[in-house]
Amino acid sequence: MKHILAPLALAILLATPAMPQDTSPTLPPGPNDGLGLIDRGMRLLFEGLMQDVEPALEDMAEAMKSLQPMARQLADLIGDVQYYDAPQRLENGDIIIRRKADAPPPPALLPALPKPDANPAIDQSPDGQIEL
């Protein structure tokens, strides 16, 4: 059986056409050839990351826009941060941020934020209890 398979395999190999050889001249690999591949790979990696992160960045931008008025109020209230000492945490968990003694007077206080209107549909008794 082995005697039959060897000539058959040789006949099949000789019958198949040879693959054409590439006769175009090739340049020897240069020092920058690998950098081009690394550059393309890094570009593809970062493009993929940006596609994944872009929705989260858009959501964060919308959240920052909604916080912008409050951040401006806080910045106006505090003034310059260099006029304050480092925060201190008390044993009860409170955090105190003291103004330095040599700091100029603090900026004028902003008006308090308006309180939401009370629900007129709920009647309250004079002692503060809600009647249902």
Side-chain angles (χ1 to χ4, degrees):
M1 180 93 160
K2 290 183 184 179
H3 301 287
I4 298 173
L5 289 179
L8 183 61
L10 185 60
I12 291 174
L13 286 175
L14 292 176
T16 57
M19 298 297 287
Q21 297 292 322
D22 185 17
T23 59
S24 63
T26 59
L27 297 174
N32 294 331
D33 289 345
L35 293 178
L37 292 175
I38 292 173
D39 184 43
R40 284 193 302 180
M42 293 301 283
R43 216 175 265 155
L44 288 172
L45 175 72
F46 285 122
E47 286 174 3
L49 285 174
M50 283 305 296
Q51 289 176 356
D52 291 345
V53 172
E54 190 172 3
L57 289 176
E58 290 174 1
D59 292 344
M60 190 171 74
E62 289 177 24
M64 294 304 284
K65 284 180 186 176
S66 67
L67 290 175
Q68 189 174 12
M70 289 183 282
R72 286 184 189 209
Q73 276 185 336
L74 181 63
D76 291 341
L77 178 67
I78 291 175
D80 197 347
V81 179
Q82 70 179 353
Y83 298 131
Y84 292 89
D85 289 326
Q88 293 177 340
R89 184 177 299 185
L90 301 179
E91 292 177 10
N92 64 358
D94 289 350
I95 298 173
I96 297 177
I97 304 174
R98 292 190 171 90
R99 195 165 173 88
K100 292 182 180 177
D102 60 344
L109 293 177
L110 298 174
L113 295 175
K115 293 183 179 179
D117 295 333
N119 189 350
I122 299 175
D123 294 328
Q124 290 187 347
S125 64
D127 60 353
Q129 294 182 356
I130 298 175
E131 295 190 24
L132 301 175

